[in-house]
Amino acid sequence: MDTDVVISGAGPTGLLLATELALAGVRVRVLERQERRHQQSRALTLHPRSIEILDLRGIAERFLTLGHTVPGWHFAGLPKHLDFSALDTRHGYTLFLEQARTERLLEERARELGVEVSYGHEVVSLAQDDDGVTVAGTSPGGEFHLRAAYVVGCDGGRSKVRECAGIGFPGTDGTMSAMLGDFAVADKEAIAAAGRTPVLITPLAGGLTRFVLTDAERMRVPTTEPVTFEEFRDTLVRLAGTSFGIAEPKWLSRFGNATRLAEKYRDKRTFLAGDAAHIHFPAAGQGLNTGLQDAMNLGWKLAADINGWAPPGLLDTYHSERFPVGRLVTDNTQAQTLLLELTLVPEYSRPVNALRAMMDSLLEIPDVNIRLAGQVSALATSYPSPGEDPLVGTRMPDITLDSPGLRVSKLMHAGKFGYIDFTGDGAAQVAAGWKSRITVGTCGDRSWADDVSEVLVRPDGHIAWVRRENSPPDATTRQARLSAWAGTPARTAVRR
């Protein structure tokens, strides 16, 4: 093997996956077809769960210092925003941070861990067999061939890895498009005086200003048609009554609502993550965030397999857990897009505006707002198991542990499982048997769940196993349950 895992695509998903694998001692090679990292701002938002998973690895502060936070986000552009600050998290906000900066920070972390990121390397084919996968492509130095145990396609909506693996990508073509422009020059005073407009206007780093336009006269233009400055300026004047003095466009783009979901996230030794697995309209800014969470789910599972201790069937849980999340995101973005698109169609504008007003009033109800906020923020994402405790599969809150300055998030910095002992029954057994895979913490404060005695937290921050007070401590049962997730400690792991 030239490497353990080949990742195609050096976007946020591929780079976070690379850091997860490298943290676990896995050899990983990232291939990016572009000759250099792009400089466009692209996606802007990191939602609460994404900040939490960065916090689980001790790198959240790097991102927080470069962006700015807002306490909520919109749903279908409705006036009443989702209130992330009401959710049970230490990160109840959206972080505004341009994708280019997010990628730079993730690449810096990947390189710190020894990951090789190769630009100008385009994957053109792959061949799988029982023992591994051979990836072939082109690079500035000519053709290349790499042999690896696994390959992961993080190479976007037009994924070559997905195509080579023969994985279907069913869904719907776009019915509408919108325009986006980042400008170095804009009249800030005119923007401040404008009040509510049908144009989304957002300040960016470096003095740039982003405008997003959805226009009835231009919404049927194919996304393949480039945006011109003249088209953008004229549309802005028609929608807002002013051009806001825009000049010096740094990036112009047209995007649409084509929605597709890969038929499967795994085919033998090939996996898909991020936009390679799901594309949709960027409603509520969920795309990049969903990709990061794909990477967090897959990384520790691939590492467990390569390091020789993965329980049977662990790799298959990547599809069974993340595919339903992809379905949920594509469904809710289609619903949001329809609520936006129909306002631009004259024969539907009256009823859809009535529907939007009804939806806006429902968001005034705290329980409704929290439910949708939990979905969009991904804090409500759960991987339940039939017959298991209701807490299993939910995200573990970042509670304070007994050691000074120690929280659950800090317990997880090494990328291992976290075991939290609330009664002192099992810490010694776990520390002795799984010290290379599980980090142990104790907590005397049981206010989070007063009848919970033990919790095993997966490396991605979701709960794997819970013991309640009404189940007496049993070393044999504990060993069986921990082995089902973290491998049998008595067996010497054989690296694949």
Side-chain angles (χ1 to χ4, degrees):
M1 296 292 175
D2 298 302
T3 189
D4 294 321
V5 179
V6 168
I7 297 173
S8 178
T13 301
L15 291 169
L16 181 62
L17 177 59
T19 67
E20 284 295 286
L21 293 169
L23 192 62
V26 172
R27 298 177 302 156
V28 57
R29 180 86 177 271
V30 179
L31 308 179
E32 170 55 52
R33 68 180 182 86
Q34 300 291 341
E35 294 185 358
R36 62 187 60 84
R37 183 157 28 88
H38 73 82
Q39 300 302 313
Q40 295 93 359
S41 53
R42 299 194 180 187
L44 291 180
T45 55
L46 289 174
H47 286 328
R49 184 54 182 164
S50 295
I51 302 299
E52 283 190 346
I53 64 177
L54 295 171
D55 209 7
L56 288 173
R57 298 298 180 261
I59 59 174
E61 198 60 34
R62 303 185 187 193
F63 296 79
L64 292 171
T65 56
L66 292 182
H68 68 276
T69 63
V70 293
W73 199 232
H74 70 88
F75 187 87
L78 295 170
K80 177 62 178 178
H81 280 193
L82 304 176
D83 184 7
F84 290 164
S85 68
L87 302 175
D88 181 20
T89 176
R90 291 199 303 119
H91 302 288
Y93 46 76
T94 281
L95 178 69
F96 270 17
L97 186 66
E98 297 90 333
Q99 182 175 333
R101 291 191 171 199
T102 296
E103 290 180 5
R104 176 171 61 81
L105 291 171
L106 289 172
E107 183 175 340
E108 287 174 358
R109 179 56 176 158
R111 291 188 184 276
E112 288 172 7
L113 295 170
V115 173
E116 183 177 357
V117 182
S118 301
Y119 287 91
H121 284 59
E122 182 173 6
V123 173
V124 297
S125 68
L126 61 87
Q128 304 187 75
D129 54 52
D130 292 342
D131 300 318
V133 56
T134 301
V135 177
T138 59
S139 73
E143 295 183 357
F144 67 84
H145 294 80
L146 288 173
R147 182 75 175 160
Y150 295 101
V151 62
V152 186
C154 302
D155 48 347
R158 297 181 178 89
S159 170
K160 190 66 176 179
V161 170
R162 187 187 64 237
E163 177 188 323
C164 292
I167 299 174
F169 202 40
T172 58
D173 293 330
T175 60
M176 66 168 286
S177 65
M179 291 184 287
L180 176 154
D182 294 343
F183 296 89
V185 176
D187 188 337
K188 303 299 194 295
E189 292 184 1
I191 292 171
R196 291 193 62 83
T197 76
V199 177
L200 177 62
I201 307 174
T202 304
L204 304 179
L208 298 181
T209 305
R210 169 167 293 185
F211 296 81
V212 181
L213 313 180
T214 307
D215 175 36
E217 294 186 19
R218 305 296 296 166
M219 72 174 183
R220 305 305 183 197
V221 177
T223 56
T224 53
E225 182 176 317
V227 179
T228 66
F229 174 70
E230 291 73 19
E231 177 193 12
F232 198 98
R233 182 189 56 204
D234 293 348
T235 303
L236 182 57
V237 170
R238 184 166 60 253
L239 293 177
T242 174
S243 70
F244 293 108
I246 59 171
E248 298 183 31
K250 298 301 181 181
W251 186 40
L252 296 172
S253 176
R254 199 185 312 272
F255 58 96
N257 66 332
T259 303
R260 298 188 179 278
L261 181 65
E263 289 180 334
K264 51 186 176 181
Y265 283 20
R266 180 191 184 186
D267 178 73
K268 302 172 187 172
R269 291 181 172 273
T270 301
F271 294 83
L272 303 176
D275 287 355
H278 40 75
I279 61 168
H280 49 82
F281 196 74
Q286 297 172 87
L288 183 153
N289 293 277
T290 305
L292 292 178
Q293 290 139 34
D294 289 343
M296 198 68 170
N297 185 286
L298 178 58
W300 69 273
K301 296 174 181 178
L302 268 181
D305 182 87
I306 290 166
N307 287 327
W309 58 262
L314 182 65
L315 284 180
D316 289 331
T317 66
Y318 173 62
H319 171 84
S320 64
E321 292 183 346
R322 292 305 298 173
F323 179 84
V325 175
R327 174 67 70 193
L328 186 65
V329 171
T330 53
D331 284 351
N332 89 54
T333 52
Q334 283 187 306
Q336 292 184 69
T337 306
L338 191 62
L339 284 171
L340 292 166
E341 180 181 1
L342 291 183
T343 62
L344 305 176
V345 181
E347 58 266 39
Y348 293 116
S349 62
R350 181 178 176 82
V352 80
N353 279 317
L355 178 60
R356 287 176 63 83
M358 182 186 300
M359 285 289 298
D360 201 57
S361 67
L362 290 174
L363 289 178
E364 296 284 352
I365 302 172
D367 286 349
V368 174
N369 196 301
I370 286 174
R371 178 159 183 169
L372 276 179
Q375 180 178 319
V376 169
S377 68
L379 294 178
T381 296
S382 180
Y383 310 124
S385 298
E388 294 282 1
D389 190 282
L391 286 176
V392 169
T394 63
R395 45 177 277 281
M396 179 67 196
D398 194 16
I399 61 175
T400 301
L401 305 181
D402 287 344
S403 298
L406 184 63
R407 306 182 70 95
V408 170
S409 56
K410 191 172 183 179
L411 190 73
M412 311 294 291
H413 282 185
K416 302 177 182 181
F417 284 84
Y419 170 81
I420 305 166
D421 191 346
F422 289 88
T423 60
D425 292 322
Q429 179 185 1
V430 176
W434 288 268
K435 61 182 178 181
S436 65
R437 302 174 211 159
I438 302 177
T439 305
V440 175
T442 59
C443 184
D445 181 1
R446 304 179 68 181
S447 58
W448 165 62
D450 58 12
D451 64 340
V452 169
S453 300
E454 302 174 75
V455 175
L456 180 67
V457 185
R458 300 168 14 162
D460 59 4
H462 288 261
I463 294 173
W465 171 65
V466 169
R467 182 176 71 82
R468 302 271 182 174
E469 269 187 346
N470 57 8
S471 297
D474 179 348
T476 301
T477 300
R478 182 182 298 117
Q479 173 154 333
R481 298 310 299 272
L482 268 62
S483 296
W485 282 100
T488 306
R491 183 186 67 200
T492 301
V494 179
R495 185 177 172 84
R496 294 181 184 274

